[in-house]
């Protein structure tokens, strides 16, 4: 069926009131209610040869298969609009490809320019190249030796950030966190960066670096476990600590000892617990504090471990540091994964005056739920006196990760 211009105009304005049309037998101008105007060129058979969008102007595919007469005769306003919008979409694909080519060229040129600017930027005293993005009010720091991924300043200031013994959180966003340490010297900051480089092989440690005097930038590892437990009584699955336990064994095999594992020094994000605050870590190359120096948190140590660490014998100290890390990790996992009563017992422990933990029914139940049957007695003996009863194997091999 073919309609002439007058019949089409009468049809759509009286029956559907969907489109307004003007023109002659060779072309039509169609105005949709959404204020888009189309100019349709028609051949002698009533087939559209091309469609031009007038507002905004855009050429659509030639030799459209839709008969203008049939389109207007058989379609209500919604159908006509849908067909014309589909033409828009098809055309947009072509335009997008063109834009992509332009975008690739633009990005390549921008990256070349950035690379040149980065090469010309001098490094600061801590080995970072500082570059600012004024449009987004961000500052980026690039490792001059390209050993580590870039860091940037977070987007949001924190009014009352978490504070540790030395550092305070000042800015944060989902990706990065910024801390301030007013008391640290430049030499000490360099030493901590060297320690961080040494520990970068362990993905269970949140990477952080001093990028300027008194300023630390780090990847945001998530929420502090102690904070989540204390404020919201949130429990975490044991599986969250699997990587941390596995890598703790790898650290000990390399004579690396954390010395201050606790819920306040672990964060969790996407179901993965990681270490933060490396102030007391010791490695074969030294660390911030000497291996012989006594450090830690009272509810994460025992009287017996303190005595061994004060012995002066290097091998006894290493053995005590290993057991100390394992004891603190067990305490942290019990605090994070157990019930409220068990969390209370963990925080109540005073290691300065006791050789170990006084086992309660809550401790026994946690061990039953989370330790392999053949090692439950070993773990309980270890908790009672970790300096006298060492674990028979690496900690991660004793736990039921499928629990």
């Amino acid at each position: 069926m073919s309609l002439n211009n007058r019949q089409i105009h009468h049809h759509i304005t009286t029956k559907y009131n969907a489109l307004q049309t003007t023109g002659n037998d060779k072309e039509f101008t169609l105005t949709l209610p959404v204020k888009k105007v189309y100019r349709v060129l028609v051949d002698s058979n009533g087939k559209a040869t091309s469609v031009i969008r007038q507002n905004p102007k855009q050429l659509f595919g030639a030799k459209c298969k839709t008969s203008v007469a049939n389109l207007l005769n058989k379609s209500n306003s919604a159908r006509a609009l849908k067909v014309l919008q589909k033409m828009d979409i098809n055309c947009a694909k072509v335009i997008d490809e063109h834009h992509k080519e332009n975008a690739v060229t633009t990005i390549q040129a921008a990256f070349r320019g950035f690379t040149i600017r980065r090469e010309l930027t001098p490094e600061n005293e801590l080995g970072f190249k500082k570059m600012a993005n004024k449009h987004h009010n961000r500052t980026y720091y690039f490792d001059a030796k390209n050993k580590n991924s870039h860091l940037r300043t977070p987007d949001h200031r924190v009014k009352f950030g978490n504070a540790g013994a030395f550092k305070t959180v000042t800015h944060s966003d989902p990706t990065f966190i910024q801390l301030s340490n007013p008391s640290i010297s430049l030499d000490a900051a360099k030493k901590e960066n060297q320690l961080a480089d040494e520990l970068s092989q362990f993905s269970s440690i949140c990477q952080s670096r001093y990028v300027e005097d008194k300023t630390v930038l780090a990847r945001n590892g998530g929420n502090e476990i102690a904070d989540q437990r204390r404020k919201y009584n949130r429990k975490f699955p044991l599986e969250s600590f699997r990587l941390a336990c596995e890598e703790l064994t790898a650290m000990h095999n390399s004579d690396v000892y954390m010395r201050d594992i606790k819920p306040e020094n672990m964060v969790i994000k996407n179901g993965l617990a990681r270490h933060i605050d490396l102030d007391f870590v010791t490695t074969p190359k030294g660390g911030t504090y000497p291996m012989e120096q006594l450090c830690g948190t009272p509810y994460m140590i025992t009287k017996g471990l303190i005595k061994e660490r004060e012995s002066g014998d290097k091998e006894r100290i290493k053995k005590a540091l290993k057991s100390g890390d394992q004891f603190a990790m067990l305490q942290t996992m019990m605090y994070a994964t157990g019930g409220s009563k068990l969390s209370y017992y963990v925080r109540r422990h005073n290691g300065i005056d006791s050789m170990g933990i006084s086992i309660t029914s809550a401790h026994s139940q946690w061990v039953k739920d989370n330790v392999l049957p053949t090692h439950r007695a070993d773990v309980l003996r270890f908790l009672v006196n970790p300096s006298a009863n060492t674990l028979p194997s690496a900690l991660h091999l004793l736990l039921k990760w499928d629990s």
Side-chain angles (χ1 to χ4, degrees):
M1 176 182 178
S2 273
L3 302 177
N4 60 33
N5 180 36
R6 184 175 302 228
Q7 289 171 318
I8 292 173
H9 182 272
H10 179 267
H11 181 77
I12 62 175
T13 54
T14 58
K15 187 173 181 180
Y16 295 106
N17 196 27
L19 307 169
Q20 295 177 355
T21 179
T22 58
N24 50 48
D25 291 336
K26 294 184 178 180
E27 65 178 67
F28 299 95
T29 301
L30 309 174
T31 304
L32 274 66
V34 291
K35 298 183 179 179
K36 283 190 177 180
V37 180
Y38 296 86
R39 179 168 166 244
V40 184
L41 304 182
V42 185
D43 61 17
S44 58
N45 297 320
K47 297 284 185 180
T49 56
S50 61
V51 180
I52 302 171
R53 189 176 65 199
Q54 298 288 89
N55 180 28
K57 191 168 185 178
Q58 182 65 57
L59 176 65
F60 289 83
K63 294 295 179 183
C64 299
K65 300 301 181 182
T66 305
S67 166
V68 175
N70 289 339
L71 168 66
L72 298 177
N73 184 43
K74 296 180 180 180
S75 302
N76 57 23
S77 60
R79 174 63 180 163
L81 179 61
K82 186 175 181 180
V83 171
L84 291 174
Q85 285 176 333
K86 187 176 181 180
M87 294 178 183
D88 265 355
I89 293 170
N90 292 337
C91 179
K93 290 180 181 178
V94 179
I95 299 170
D96 284 345
E97 291 302 320
H98 176 68
H99 287 171
K100 284 177 184 177
E101 291 180 6
N102 290 342
V104 169
T105 304
T106 303
I107 291 171
Q108 288 174 339
F111 184 74
R112 285 194 295 270
F114 155 76
T115 304
I116 293 171
R117 290 195 306 275
R118 187 176 63 181
E119 289 298 320
L120 295 176
T121 300
E123 64 180 273
N124 62 18
E125 294 175 301
L126 290 163
F128 284 92
K129 296 190 173 190
K130 179 180 177 181
M131 299 180 71
N133 185 328
K134 296 180 180 179
H135 297 293
H136 295 91
N137 196 28
R138 288 174 170 178
T139 302
Y140 293 80
Y141 294 86
F142 298 91
D143 185 346
K145 297 179 181 178
N146 294 321
K147 291 191 300 183
N148 302 295
S149 57
H150 78 275
L151 296 165
R152 68 160 171 79
T153 53
D155 295 330
H156 310 298
R157 177 177 288 277
V158 178
K159 286 186 178 180
F160 305 104
N162 291 343
F166 306 104
K167 305 183 189 78
T168 302
V169 177
T170 60
H171 297 75
S172 179
D173 65 25
T175 308
F176 292 96
I177 189 167
Q178 182 174 327
L179 305 95
S180 174
N181 184 355
S183 62
I184 196 167
S185 66
L186 180 61
D187 287 340
K190 289 180 179 179
K191 195 171 183 180
E192 287 214 12
N193 279 358
Q194 290 172 359
L195 174 63
D197 288 341
E198 195 175 349
L199 298 174
S200 61
Q201 60 182 302
F202 301 110
S203 55
S204 61
I205 294 178
C206 286
Q207 297 301 311
S208 64
R209 298 292 187 281
Y210 280 88
V211 294
E212 288 196 66
D213 187 31
K214 321 296 185 187
T215 301
V216 179
L217 288 179
R219 298 277 168 176
N220 191 339
N223 297 310
E224 183 188 292
I225 289 174
D227 197 46
Q228 293 290 299
R229 196 74 165 116
R230 184 171 52 248
K231 289 183 179 179
Y232 312 110
N233 197 27
R234 184 181 174 191
K235 290 172 61 176
F236 300 96
L238 184 69
E239 184 67 28
S240 302
F241 295 87
R242 186 171 194 162
L243 177 65
C245 285
E246 290 174 347
E247 291 202 340
L248 187 64
T249 301
M251 292 177 196
H252 291 165
N253 291 338
S254 301
D255 281 341
V256 175
Y257 304 98
M258 296 297 293
R259 296 201 293 184
D260 198 23
I261 297 172
K262 57 184 177 181
E264 291 82 358
N265 283 349
M266 294 196 78
V267 292
I268 191 162
K269 185 178 184 180
N270 299 327
L272 191 64
R274 287 188 170 94
H275 301 282
I276 58 172
D277 196 346
L278 310 178
D279 291 333
F280 295 129
V281 176
T282 180
T283 74
K285 294 183 180 179
T288 309
Y289 297 94
M291 184 179 71
E292 297 79 10
Q293 182 167 334
L294 188 62
C295 53
T297 302
Y299 78 99
M300 288 290 159
I301 57 176
T302 71
K303 185 177 180 179
L305 291 173
I306 293 173
K307 184 178 179 180
E308 288 298 298
R309 287 166 63 172
E310 291 176 336
S311 66
D313 183 280
K314 191 171 183 179
E315 292 307 312
R316 287 175 63 184
I317 293 172
K318 283 184 179 181
K319 184 179 176 182
L321 290 175
K322 177 180 178 179
S323 292
D325 279 353
Q326 292 172 331
F327 179 81
M329 182 62 81
L330 274 169
Q331 282 277 79
T332 298
M333 288 191 293
M334 287 191 292
Y335 177 84
T337 66
S340 299
K341 188 176 288 187
L342 182 56
S343 296
Y344 168 75
Y345 288 138
V346 169
R347 295 303 295 261
R348 189 182 178 187
H349 169 69
N350 182 5
I352 296 176
D353 298 324
S354 61
M355 297 298 290
I357 292 172
S358 298
I359 300 298
T360 68
S361 59
H363 291 96
S364 298
Q365 187 62 50
W366 188 90
V367 170
K368 182 180 178 181
D369 292 340
N370 298 285
V371 178
L372 295 171
T374 53
H375 295 297
R376 288 170 186 165
D378 297 323
V379 171
L380 287 172
R381 282 194 296 267
F382 176 77
L383 291 172
V384 169
N385 190 343
S387 58
N389 306 310
T390 58
L391 291 175
S393 185
L395 179 58
H396 73 277
L397 298 177
L398 310 181
L399 301 176
K400 294 194 302 183
W401 297 113
D402 58 343
S403 61

